[in-house]
Amino acid sequence: MKRPSRQQPIRSEFAQGLVRCIHALAAEQQDGCYRMLFAHFYPRLVTFFVKRGMTPLRAEDSAQEVMLVVWHDAALFDAQQQSVSGWVFEIALDLATSESASRQQWDDLIIPLPEVPLHAEQMEDGVADADETLKLYAALKVLTAGDADLLHSAYIDELSHSDLAKRLQSPIGSIKSRIRKSIIKLREVMRMGRP
Amino acid sequence: MMHHPSHTTIYAAAIGMLPPVLNTLVRAHIARCLPCQTLMQQANDALGETLDELQPAPVAPDAIERVMARRAGHKIIRRPPPITLDWHNLKMRWAAPGLKIRTVYKNDKDALHLLRMKPGSVLPAHTHKGPDMALVVQGSFVRGGVRYVAGDIDEGWTENEHAKTVVCVEQCYLFLATTRGGVTFQGLFGGLVHWLTGI
């Protein structure tokens, strides 16, 4: 199946200017570009950290830390992935929340997923009633293998009670009662999990 | 993959307000899911714009010089590289017929469990106490007539739970993240509000 390509975001003139700035910073470490980025982001970052409950002094420290990361990591910025402001926001947020101990515990954990084929169409089919079928399949597990086979023969292979009695060499009465008991048992299991 | 985290969840993740244990599962999904990557990108762009629109704080005029002087010798404190969880090789303990479990992490609030269901096994209908999330990593299960395959996220296990039993179709490994043991809240969003307010 064709994988959908990522949409190119439409960005404002200003945002595009920031992208050019950061590319120039990454390529040539131009101070002029850094000053422009600094002038825009630094005072706003201070506001951001103050809004998150820091003292103005600490907020300035944190804002400086973010601007230093911007300087060091300019080459890692990917305009395909995000806007410059979004990137700076992410760095700031990371710094603001990195002190939370519970976050640290989880944040460094990656759960790998296998390469998953996209097969949405095939999966639509037959899903609606799969639940009931599966429930029955699951419920069959509560029966002994003999009883499950008996039900299978009676209801899927459609053998008559007398055929079954002949095949299993047991009286027709006991066949009937085994089937009846199995059905009752199944019904109970199937009812579990319903309102 | 057909089942994605809700938009609320993605935005909560973008703004850093998703309970970390749920975030772990959401990140795993997003890493493989193009539509969710796009959504995350849009959320991040929007958040960047809110930064642009913040009122600039008055700052010392020499701030830029001070920072530029610090640039060269400055060492950024980096996080340790993330650990990839080798869940295939985790030892699991028996929990119920056809069901094995391994608690991967647990603290006083949150927990992350790995479950293995055998074909035909059933998780009986039940309610969870906080917002929860499941991520299928292998195989599939069916809940409420809907099939969940590897990569799928199933959130909101707290809603209408009595009507929905989880049935395993093929051998299925899934991660189950639970939060806020001890309090019942309706839906993930309720749980988020809970998490934010700390009630």
Side-chain angles (χ1 to χ4, degrees), chain A residues 64-88:
Chain A
Q64 289 188 11
E65 200 65 31
V66 173
M67 290 315 296
L68 286 165
V69 175
V70 168
W71 166 260
H72 281 284
D73 287 0
L76 301 178
F77 171 74
D78 180 0
Q80 302 283 328
Q81 297 284 341
Q82 52 195 158
S83 65
V84 178
S85 304
W87 182 61
V88 174

mmCIF file with all atom_site columns, all heavy atoms in Angstrom, chain A residues 64-88:
data_model
loop_
_atom_site.group_PDB
_atom_site.id
_atom_site.type_symbol
_atom_site.label_atom_id
_atom_site.label_alt_id
_atom_site.label_comp_id
_atom_site.label_asym_id
_atom_site.label_entity_id
_atom_site.label_seq_id
_atom_site.pdbx_PDB_ins_code
_atom_site.Cartn_x
_atom_site.Cartn_y
_atom_site.Cartn_z
_atom_site.occupancy
_atom_site.B_iso_or_equiv
_atom_site.pdbx_formal_charge
_atom_site.auth_seq_id
_atom_site.auth_comp_id
_atom_site.auth_asym_id
_atom_site.auth_atom_id
_atom_site.pdbx_PDB_model_num
ATOM 1   N N   . GLN A 1 64 ? 18.290 31.228 29.530 1.00 0.00 ? 64 GLN A N   1
ATOM 2   C CA  . GLN A 1 64 ? 19.667 31.206 29.014 1.00 0.00 ? 64 GLN A CA  1
ATOM 3   C C   . GLN A 1 64 ? 20.065 29.785 28.633 1.00 0.00 ? 64 GLN A C   1
ATOM 4   O O   . GLN A 1 64 ? 20.712 29.560 27.606 1.00 0.00 ? 64 GLN A O   1
ATOM 5   C CB  . GLN A 1 64 ? 20.631 31.761 30.067 1.00 0.00 ? 64 GLN A CB  1
ATOM 6   C CG  . GLN A 1 64 ? 20.482 33.259 30.261 1.00 0.00 ? 64 GLN A CG  1
ATOM 7   C CD  . GLN A 1 64 ? 21.555 33.841 31.164 1.00 0.00 ? 64 GLN A CD  1
ATOM 8   O OE1 . GLN A 1 64 ? 22.533 33.185 31.492 1.00 0.00 ? 64 GLN A OE1 1
ATOM 9   N NE2 . GLN A 1 64 ? 21.354 35.095 31.558 1.00 0.00 ? 64 GLN A NE2 1
ATOM 10  N N   . GLU A 1 65 ? 19.660 28.854 29.486 1.00 0.00 ? 65 GLU A N   1
ATOM 11  C CA  . GLU A 1 65 ? 19.967 27.446 29.217 1.00 0.00 ? 65 GLU A CA  1
ATOM 12  C C   . GLU A 1 65 ? 19.356 27.020 27.876 1.00 0.00 ? 65 GLU A C   1
ATOM 13  O O   . GLU A 1 65 ? 20.015 26.370 27.054 1.00 0.00 ? 65 GLU A O   1
ATOM 14  C CB  . GLU A 1 65 ? 19.408 26.594 30.361 1.00 0.00 ? 65 GLU A CB  1
ATOM 15  C CG  . GLU A 1 65 ? 20.024 25.233 30.502 1.00 0.00 ? 65 GLU A CG  1
ATOM 16  C CD  . GLU A 1 65 ? 21.506 25.285 30.877 1.00 0.00 ? 65 GLU A CD  1
ATOM 17  O OE1 . GLU A 1 65 ? 21.942 26.233 31.580 1.00 0.00 ? 65 GLU A OE1 1
ATOM 18  O OE2 . GLU A 1 65 ? 22.221 24.382 30.426 1.00 0.00 ? 65 GLU A OE2 1
ATOM 19  N N   . VAL A 1 66 ? 18.119 27.432 27.638 1.00 0.00 ? 66 VAL A N   1
ATOM 20  C CA  . VAL A 1 66 ? 17.451 27.085 26.374 1.00 0.00 ? 66 VAL A CA  1
ATOM 21  C C   . VAL A 1 66 ? 18.207 27.691 25.194 1.00 0.00 ? 66 VAL A C   1
ATOM 22  O O   . VAL A 1 66 ? 18.467 27.022 24.192 1.00 0.00 ? 66 VAL A O   1
ATOM 23  C CB  . VAL A 1 66 ? 15.975 27.565 26.367 1.00 0.00 ? 66 VAL A CB  1
ATOM 24  C CG1 . VAL A 1 66 ? 15.340 27.349 24.993 1.00 0.00 ? 66 VAL A CG1 1
ATOM 25  C CG2 . VAL A 1 66 ? 15.167 26.842 27.437 1.00 0.00 ? 66 VAL A CG2 1
ATOM 26  N N   . MET A 1 67 ? 18.598 28.973 25.348 1.00 0.00 ? 67 MET A N   1
ATOM 27  C CA  . MET A 1 67 ? 19.298 29.635 24.244 1.00 0.00 ? 67 MET A CA  1
ATOM 28  C C   . MET A 1 67 ? 20.649 28.980 23.968 1.00 0.00 ? 67 MET A C   1
ATOM 29  O O   . MET A 1 67 ? 21.119 28.970 22.830 1.00 0.00 ? 67 MET A O   1
ATOM 30  C CB  . MET A 1 67 ? 19.463 31.136 24.533 1.00 0.00 ? 67 MET A CB  1
ATOM 31  C CG  . MET A 1 67 ? 18.160 31.935 24.494 1.00 0.00 ? 67 MET A CG  1
ATOM 32  S SD  . MET A 1 67 ? 17.066 31.593 23.094 1.00 0.00 ? 67 MET A SD  1
ATOM 33  C CE  . MET A 1 67 ? 18.039 32.126 21.700 1.00 0.00 ? 67 MET A CE  1
ATOM 34  N N   . LEU A 1 68 ? 21.277 28.422 25.014 1.00 0.00 ? 68 LEU A N   1
ATOM 35  C CA  . LEU A 1 68 ? 22.546 27.712 24.807 1.00 0.00 ? 68 LEU A CA  1
ATOM 36  C C   . LEU A 1 68 ? 22.311 26.400 24.058 1.00 0.00 ? 68 LEU A C   1
ATOM 37  O O   . LEU A 1 68 ? 23.115 26.018 23.203 1.00 0.00 ? 68 LEU A O   1
ATOM 38  C CB  . LEU A 1 68 ? 23.227 27.452 26.158 1.00 0.00 ? 68 LEU A CB  1
ATOM 39  C CG  . LEU A 1 68 ? 23.857 28.701 26.790 1.00 0.00 ? 68 LEU A CG  1
ATOM 40  C CD1 . LEU A 1 68 ? 24.175 28.465 28.264 1.00 0.00 ? 68 LEU A CD1 1
ATOM 41  C CD2 . LEU A 1 68 ? 25.122 29.113 26.046 1.00 0.00 ? 68 LEU A CD2 1
ATOM 42  N N   . VAL A 1 69 ? 21.199 25.751 24.371 1.00 0.00 ? 69 VAL A N   1
ATOM 43  C CA  . VAL A 1 69 ? 20.871 24.523 23.636 1.00 0.00 ? 69 VAL A CA  1
ATOM 44  C C   . VAL A 1 69 ? 20.602 24.866 22.169 1.00 0.00 ? 69 VAL A C   1
ATOM 45  O O   . VAL A 1 69 ? 21.037 24.155 21.258 1.00 0.00 ? 69 VAL A O   1
ATOM 46  C CB  . VAL A 1 69 ? 19.651 23.797 24.268 1.00 0.00 ? 69 VAL A CB  1
ATOM 47  C CG1 . VAL A 1 69 ? 19.242 22.599 23.425 1.00 0.00 ? 69 VAL A CG1 1
ATOM 48  C CG2 . VAL A 1 69 ? 19.959 23.348 25.692 1.00 0.00 ? 69 VAL A CG2 1
ATOM 49  N N   . VAL A 1 70 ? 19.903 25.984 21.940 1.00 0.00 ? 70 VAL A N   1
ATOM 50  C CA  . VAL A 1 70 ? 19.630 26.421 20.564 1.00 0.00 ? 70 VAL A CA  1
ATOM 51  C C   . VAL A 1 70 ? 20.955 26.598 19.805 1.00 0.00 ? 70 VAL A C   1
ATOM 52  O O   . VAL A 1 70 ? 21.102 26.177 18.661 1.00 0.00 ? 70 VAL A O   1
ATOM 53  C CB  . VAL A 1 70 ? 18.802 27.729 20.556 1.00 0.00 ? 70 VAL A CB  1
ATOM 54  C CG1 . VAL A 1 70 ? 18.767 28.356 19.166 1.00 0.00 ? 70 VAL A CG1 1
ATOM 55  C CG2 . VAL A 1 70 ? 17.387 27.468 21.064 1.00 0.00 ? 70 VAL A CG2 1
ATOM 56  N N   . TRP A 1 71 ? 21.923 27.198 20.471 1.00 0.00 ? 71 TRP A N   1
ATOM 57  C CA  . TRP A 1 71 ? 23.232 27.426 19.842 1.00 0.00 ? 71 TRP A CA  1
ATOM 58  C C   . TRP A 1 71 ? 23.911 26.092 19.503 1.00 0.00 ? 71 TRP A C   1
ATOM 59  O O   . TRP A 1 71 ? 24.378 25.878 18.396 1.00 0.00 ? 71 TRP A O   1
ATOM 60  C CB  . TRP A 1 71 ? 24.117 28.255 20.787 1.00 0.00 ? 71 TRP A CB  1
ATOM 61  C CG  . TRP A 1 71 ? 25.564 28.274 20.411 1.00 0.00 ? 71 TRP A CG  1
ATOM 62  C CD1 . TRP A 1 71 ? 26.567 27.531 20.963 1.00 0.00 ? 71 TRP A CD1 1
ATOM 63  C CD2 . TRP A 1 71 ? 26.175 29.057 19.379 1.00 0.00 ? 71 TRP A CD2 1
ATOM 64  N NE1 . TRP A 1 71 ? 27.754 27.794 20.362 1.00 0.00 ? 71 TRP A NE1 1
ATOM 65  C CE2 . TRP A 1 71 ? 27.558 28.734 19.370 1.00 0.00 ? 71 TRP A CE2 1
ATOM 66  C CE3 . TRP A 1 71 ? 25.702 29.999 18.466 1.00 0.00 ? 71 TRP A CE3 1
ATOM 67  C CZ2 . TRP A 1 71 ? 28.454 29.312 18.500 1.00 0.00 ? 71 TRP A CZ2 1
ATOM 68  C CZ3 . TRP A 1 71 ? 26.610 30.575 17.594 1.00 0.00 ? 71 TRP A CZ3 1
ATOM 69  C CH2 . TRP A 1 71 ? 27.966 30.241 17.603 1.00 0.00 ? 71 TRP A CH2 1
ATOM 70  N N   . HIS A 1 72 ? 23.916 25.182 20.487 1.00 0.00 ? 72 HIS A N   1
ATOM 71  C CA  . HIS A 1 72 ? 24.628 23.915 20.287 1.00 0.00 ? 72 HIS A CA  1
ATOM 72  C C   . HIS A 1 72 ? 23.924 22.993 19.289 1.00 0.00 ? 72 HIS A C   1
ATOM 73  O O   . HIS A 1 72 ? 24.567 22.243 18.566 1.00 0.00 ? 72 HIS A O   1
ATOM 74  C CB  . HIS A 1 72 ? 24.780 23.174 21.623 1.00 0.00 ? 72 HIS A CB  1
ATOM 75  C CG  . HIS A 1 72 ? 25.883 23.717 22.459 1.00 0.00 ? 72 HIS A CG  1
ATOM 76  N ND1 . HIS A 1 72 ? 27.205 23.466 22.204 1.00 0.00 ? 72 HIS A ND1 1
ATOM 77  C CD2 . HIS A 1 72 ? 25.866 24.539 23.544 1.00 0.00 ? 72 HIS A CD2 1
ATOM 78  C CE1 . HIS A 1 72 ? 27.947 24.092 23.098 1.00 0.00 ? 72 HIS A CE1 1
ATOM 79  N NE2 . HIS A 1 72 ? 27.160 24.757 23.922 1.00 0.00 ? 72 HIS A NE2 1
ATOM 80  N N   . ASP A 1 73 ? 22.611 23.036 19.298 1.00 0.00 ? 73 ASP A N   1
ATOM 81  C CA  . ASP A 1 73 ? 21.845 22.037 18.546 1.00 0.00 ? 73 ASP A CA  1
ATOM 82  C C   . ASP A 1 73 ? 21.240 22.572 17.246 1.00 0.00 ? 73 ASP A C   1
ATOM 83  O O   . ASP A 1 73 ? 20.423 21.881 16.631 1.00 0.00 ? 73 ASP A O   1
ATOM 84  C CB  . ASP A 1 73 ? 20.718 21.464 19.419 1.00 0.00 ? 73 ASP A CB  1
ATOM 85  C CG  . ASP A 1 73 ? 21.247 20.522 20.486 1.00 0.00 ? 73 ASP A CG  1
ATOM 86  O OD1 . ASP A 1 73 ? 22.482 20.333 20.514 1.00 0.00 ? 73 ASP A OD1 1
ATOM 87  O OD2 . ASP A 1 73 ? 20.454 19.993 21.269 1.00 0.00 ? 73 ASP A OD2 1
ATOM 88  N N   . ALA A 1 74 ? 21.650 23.769 16.840 1.00 0.00 ? 74 ALA A N   1
ATOM 89  C CA  . ALA A 1 74 ? 21.041 24.374 15.643 1.00 0.00 ? 74 ALA A CA  1
ATOM 90  C C   . ALA A 1 74 ? 21.089 23.414 14.453 1.00 0.00 ? 74 ALA A C   1
ATOM 91  O O   . ALA A 1 74 ? 20.156 23.336 13.660 1.00 0.00 ? 74 ALA A O   1
ATOM 92  C CB  . ALA A 1 74 ? 21.743 25.677 15.304 1.00 0.00 ? 74 ALA A CB  1
ATOM 93  N N   . ALA A 1 75 ? 22.171 22.637 14.368 1.00 0.00 ? 75 ALA A N   1
ATOM 94  C CA  . ALA A 1 75 ? 22.329 21.729 13.225 1.00 0.00 ? 75 ALA A CA  1
ATOM 95  C C   . ALA A 1 75 ? 21.327 20.576 13.288 1.00 0.00 ? 75 ALA A C   1
ATOM 96  O O   . ALA A 1 75 ? 21.053 19.933 12.276 1.00 0.00 ? 75 ALA A O   1
ATOM 97  C CB  . ALA A 1 75 ? 23.747 21.183 13.188 1.00 0.00 ? 75 ALA A CB  1
ATOM 98  N N   . LEU A 1 76 ? 20.784 20.311 14.480 1.00 0.00 ? 76 LEU A N   1
ATOM 99  C CA  . LEU A 1 76 ? 19.844 19.193 14.615 1.00 0.00 ? 76 LEU A CA  1
ATOM 100 C C   . LEU A 1 76 ? 18.415 19.589 14.236 1.00 0.00 ? 76 LEU A C   1
ATOM 101 O O   . LEU A 1 76 ? 17.549 18.742 14.094 1.00 0.00 ? 76 LEU A O   1
ATOM 102 C CB  . LEU A 1 76 ? 19.827 18.667 16.062 1.00 0.00 ? 76 LEU A CB  1
ATOM 103 C CG  . LEU A 1 76 ? 21.163 18.161 16.608 1.00 0.00 ? 76 LEU A CG  1
ATOM 104 C CD1 . LEU A 1 76 ? 20.997 17.710 18.056 1.00 0.00 ? 76 LEU A CD1 1
ATOM 105 C CD2 . LEU A 1 76 ? 21.686 17.012 15.759 1.00 0.00 ? 76 LEU A CD2 1
ATOM 106 N N   . PHE A 1 77 ? 18.207 20.915 14.108 1.00 0.00 ? 77 PHE A N   1
ATOM 107 C CA  . PHE A 1 77 ? 16.856 21.368 13.782 1.00 0.00 ? 77 PHE A CA  1
ATOM 108 C C   . PHE A 1 77 ? 16.463 20.900 12.381 1.00 0.00 ? 77 PHE A C   1
ATOM 109 O O   . PHE A 1 77 ? 17.244 21.001 11.437 1.00 0.00 ? 77 PHE A O   1
ATOM 110 C CB  . PHE A 1 77 ? 16.773 22.891 13.862 1.00 0.00 ? 77 PHE A CB  1
ATOM 111 C CG  . PHE A 1 77 ? 15.482 23.431 13.320 1.00 0.00 ? 77 PHE A CG  1
ATOM 112 C CD1 . PHE A 1 77 ? 14.306 23.298 14.038 1.00 0.00 ? 77 PHE A CD1 1
ATOM 113 C CD2 . PHE A 1 77 ? 15.436 24.029 12.070 1.00 0.00 ? 77 PHE A CD2 1
ATOM 114 C CE1 . PHE A 1 77 ? 13.109 23.769 13.538 1.00 0.00 ? 77 PHE A CE1 1
ATOM 115 C CE2 . PHE A 1 77 ? 14.241 24.507 11.557 1.00 0.00 ? 77 PHE A CE2 1
ATOM 116 C CZ  . PHE A 1 77 ? 13.079 24.372 12.289 1.00 0.00 ? 77 PHE A CZ  1
ATOM 117 N N   . ASP A 1 78 ? 15.248 20.370 12.268 1.00 0.00 ? 78 ASP A N   1
ATOM 118 C CA  . ASP A 1 78 ? 14.765 19.858 10.985 1.00 0.00 ? 78 ASP A CA  1
ATOM 119 C C   . ASP A 1 78 ? 13.473 20.583 10.613 1.00 0.00 ? 78 ASP A C   1
ATOM 120 O O   . ASP A 1 78 ? 12.433 20.371 11.237 1.00 0.00 ? 78 ASP A O   1
ATOM 121 C CB  . ASP A 1 78 ? 14.518 18.344 11.119 1.00 0.00 ? 78 ASP A CB  1
ATOM 122 C CG  . ASP A 1 78 ? 14.013 17.737 9.815  1.00 0.00 ? 78 ASP A CG  1
ATOM 123 O OD1 . ASP A 1 78 ? 13.856 18.491 8.825  1.00 0.00 ? 78 ASP A OD1 1
ATOM 124 O OD2 . ASP A 1 78 ? 13.773 16.522 9.802  1.00 0.00 ? 78 ASP A OD2 1
ATOM 125 N N   . ALA A 1 79 ? 13.570 21.440 9.596  1.00 0.00 ? 79 ALA A N   1
ATOM 126 C CA  . ALA A 1 79 ? 12.411 22.251 9.212  1.00 0.00 ? 79 ALA A CA  1
ATOM 127 C C   . ALA A 1 79 ? 11.258 21.402 8.684  1.00 0.00 ? 79 ALA A C   1
ATOM 128 O O   . ALA A 1 79 ? 10.111 21.832 8.671  1.00 0.00 ? 79 ALA A O   1
ATOM 129 C CB  . ALA A 1 79 ? 12.826 23.284 8.167  1.00 0.00 ? 79 ALA A CB  1
ATOM 130 N N   . GLN A 1 80 ? 11.564 20.175 8.242  1.00 0.00 ? 80 GLN A N   1
ATOM 131 C CA  . GLN A 1 80 ? 10.503 19.266 7.784  1.00 0.00 ? 80 GLN A CA  1
ATOM 132 C C   . GLN A 1 80 ? 9.636  18.827 8.964  1.00 0.00 ? 80 GLN A C   1
ATOM 133 O O   . GLN A 1 80 ? 8.468  18.531 8.813  1.00 0.00 ? 80 GLN A O   1
ATOM 134 C CB  . GLN A 1 80 ? 11.106 18.005 7.159  1.00 0.00 ? 80 GLN A CB  1
ATOM 135 C CG  . GLN A 1 80 ? 12.014 18.251 5.988  1.00 0.00 ? 80 GLN A CG  1
ATOM 136 C CD  . GLN A 1 80 ? 11.234 18.563 4.727  1.00 0.00 ? 80 GLN A CD  1
ATOM 137 O OE1 . GLN A 1 80 ? 10.132 18.062 4.554  1.00 0.00 ? 80 GLN A OE1 1
ATOM 138 N NE2 . GLN A 1 80 ? 11.777 19.408 3.892  1.00 0.00 ? 80 GLN A NE2 1
ATOM 139 N N   . GLN A 1 81 ? 10.262 18.732 10.116 1.00 0.00 ? 81 GLN A N   1
ATOM 140 C CA  . GLN A 1 81 ? 9.586  18.184 11.283 1.00 0.00 ? 81 GLN A CA  1
ATOM 141 C C   . GLN A 1 81 ? 8.772  19.215 12.049 1.00 0.00 ? 81 GLN A C   1
ATOM 142 O O   . GLN A 1 81 ? 7.705  18.912 12.562 1.00 0.00 ? 81 GLN A O   1
ATOM 143 C CB  . GLN A 1 81 ? 10.605 17.566 12.251 1.00 0.00 ? 81 GLN A CB  1
ATOM 144 C CG  . GLN A 1 81 ? 11.371 16.396 11.692 1.00 0.00 ? 81 GLN A CG  1
ATOM 145 C CD  . GLN A 1 81 ? 10.540 15.130 11.639 1.00 0.00 ? 81 GLN A CD  1
ATOM 146 O OE1 . GLN A 1 81 ? 9.528  15.023 12.323 1.00 0.00 ? 81 GLN A OE1 1
ATOM 147 N NE2 . GLN A 1 81 ? 10.946 14.190 10.823 1.00 0.00 ? 81 GLN A NE2 1
ATOM 148 N N   . GLN A 1 82 ? 9.332  20.414 12.201 1.00 0.00 ? 82 GLN A N   1
ATOM 149 C CA  . GLN A 1 82 ? 8.650  21.389 13.037 1.00 0.00 ? 82 GLN A CA  1
ATOM 150 C C   . GLN A 1 82 ? 9.091  22.804 12.712 1.00 0.00 ? 82 GLN A C   1
ATOM 151 O O   . GLN A 1 82 ? 10.040 23.013 11.958 1.00 0.00 ? 82 GLN A O   1
ATOM 152 C CB  . GLN A 1 82 ? 8.863  21.078 14.522 1.00 0.00 ? 82 GLN A CB  1
ATOM 153 C CG  . GLN A 1 82 ? 10.297 20.904 14.909 1.00 0.00 ? 82 GLN A CG  1
ATOM 154 C CD  . GLN A 1 82 ? 10.489 20.255 16.276 1.00 0.00 ? 82 GLN A CD  1
ATOM 155 O OE1 . GLN A 1 82 ? 11.513 19.712 16.527 1.00 0.00 ? 82 GLN A OE1 1
ATOM 156 N NE2 . GLN A 1 82 ? 9.509  20.309 17.169 1.00 0.00 ? 82 GLN A NE2 1
ATOM 157 N N   . SER A 1 83 ? 8.373  23.768 13.315 1.00 0.00 ? 83 SER A N   1
ATOM 158 C CA  . SER A 1 83 ? 8.759  25.166 13.158 1.00 0.00 ? 83 SER A CA  1
ATOM 159 C C   . SER A 1 83 ? 9.840  25.477 14.191 1.00 0.00 ? 83 SER A C   1
ATOM 160 O O   . SER A 1 83 ? 10.008 24.744 15.165 1.00 0.00 ? 83 SER A O   1
ATOM 161 C CB  . SER A 1 83 ? 7.545  26.065 13.382 1.00 0.00 ? 83 SER A CB  1
ATOM 162 O OG  . SER A 1 83 ? 7.113  25.963 14.721 1.00 0.00 ? 83 SER A OG  1
ATOM 163 N N   . VAL A 1 84 ? 10.558 26.576 13.959 1.00 0.00 ? 84 VAL A N   1
ATOM 164 C CA  . VAL A 1 84 ? 11.613 26.948 14.898 1.00 0.00 ? 84 VAL A CA  1
ATOM 165 C C   . VAL A 1 84 ? 11.003 27.207 16.275 1.00 0.00 ? 84 VAL A C   1
ATOM 166 O O   . VAL A 1 84 ? 11.504 26.740 17.301 1.00 0.00 ? 84 VAL A O   1
ATOM 167 C CB  . VAL A 1 84 ? 12.374 28.203 14.419 1.00 0.00 ? 84 VAL A CB  1
ATOM 168 C CG1 . VAL A 1 84 ? 13.431 28.603 15.427 1.00 0.00 ? 84 VAL A CG1 1
ATOM 169 C CG2 . VAL A 1 84 ? 13.022 27.934 13.068 1.00 0.00 ? 84 VAL A CG2 1
ATOM 170 N N   . SER A 1 85 ? 9.868  27.933 16.285 1.00 0.00 ? 85 SER A N   1
ATOM 171 C CA  . SER A 1 85 ? 9.233  28.245 17.567 1.00 0.00 ? 85 SER A CA  1
ATOM 172 C C   . SER A 1 85 ? 8.785  26.972 18.277 1.00 0.00 ? 85 SER A C   1
ATOM 173 O O   . SER A 1 85 ? 8.913  26.859 19.496 1.00 0.00 ? 85 SER A O   1
ATOM 174 C CB  . SER A 1 85 ? 8.022  29.154 17.344 1.00 0.00 ? 85 SER A CB  1
ATOM 175 O OG  . SER A 1 85 ? 8.420  30.313 16.657 1.00 0.00 ? 85 SER A OG  1
ATOM 176 N N   . GLY A 1 86 ? 8.267  26.008 17.500 1.00 0.00 ? 86 GLY A N   1
ATOM 177 C CA  . GLY A 1 86 ? 7.856  24.733 18.082 1.00 0.00 ? 86 GLY A CA  1
ATOM 178 C C   . GLY A 1 86 ? 9.049  23.993 18.680 1.00 0.00 ? 86 GLY A C   1
ATOM 179 O O   . GLY A 1 86 ? 8.954  23.409 19.754 1.00 0.00 ? 86 GLY A O   1
ATOM 180 N N   . TRP A 1 87 ? 10.162 24.087 17.978 1.00 0.00 ? 87 TRP A N   1
ATOM 181 C CA  . TRP A 1 87 ? 11.385 23.425 18.447 1.00 0.00 ? 87 TRP A CA  1
ATOM 182 C C   . TRP A 1 87 ? 11.865 24.048 19.752 1.00 0.00 ? 87 TRP A C   1
ATOM 183 O O   . TRP A 1 87 ? 12.196 23.357 20.708 1.00 0.00 ? 87 TRP A O   1
ATOM 184 C CB  . TRP A 1 87 ? 12.450 23.547 17.353 1.00 0.00 ? 87 TRP A CB  1
ATOM 185 C CG  . TRP A 1 87 ? 13.753 22.895 17.629 1.00 0.00 ? 87 TRP A CG  1
ATOM 186 C CD1 . TRP A 1 87 ? 13.959 21.560 17.859 1.00 0.00 ? 87 TRP A CD1 1
ATOM 187 C CD2 . TRP A 1 87 ? 15.038 23.524 17.692 1.00 0.00 ? 87 TRP A CD2 1
ATOM 188 N NE1 . TRP A 1 87 ? 15.300 21.333 18.049 1.00 0.00 ? 87 TRP A NE1 1
ATOM 189 C CE2 . TRP A 1 87 ? 15.987 22.519 17.952 1.00 0.00 ? 87 TRP A CE2 1
ATOM 190 C CE3 . TRP A 1 87 ? 15.476 24.842 17.539 1.00 0.00 ? 87 TRP A CE3 1
ATOM 191 C CZ2 . TRP A 1 87 ? 17.347 22.790 18.075 1.00 0.00 ? 87 TRP A CZ2 1
ATOM 192 C CZ3 . TRP A 1 87 ? 16.828 25.109 17.651 1.00 0.00 ? 87 TRP A CZ3 1
ATOM 193 C CH2 . TRP A 1 87 ? 17.760 24.084 17.921 1.00 0.00 ? 87 TRP A CH2 1
ATOM 194 N N   . VAL A 1 88 ? 11.884 25.385 19.760 1.00 0.00 ? 88 VAL A N   1
ATOM 195 C CA  . VAL A 1 88 ? 12.324 26.096 20.968 1.00 0.00 ? 88 VAL A CA  1
ATOM 196 C C   . VAL A 1 88 ? 11.357 25.795 22.122 1.00 0.00 ? 88 VAL A C   1
ATOM 197 O O   . VAL A 1 88 ? 11.786 25.567 23.258 1.00 0.00 ? 88 VAL A O   1
ATOM 198 C CB  . VAL A 1 88 ? 12.435 27.620 20.712 1.00 0.00 ? 88 VAL A CB  1
ATOM 199 C CG1 . VAL A 1 88 ? 12.745 28.367 21.995 1.00 0.00 ? 88 VAL A CG1 1
ATOM 200 C CG2 . VAL A 1 88 ? 13.507 27.896 19.669 1.00 0.00 ? 88 VAL A CG2 1
#
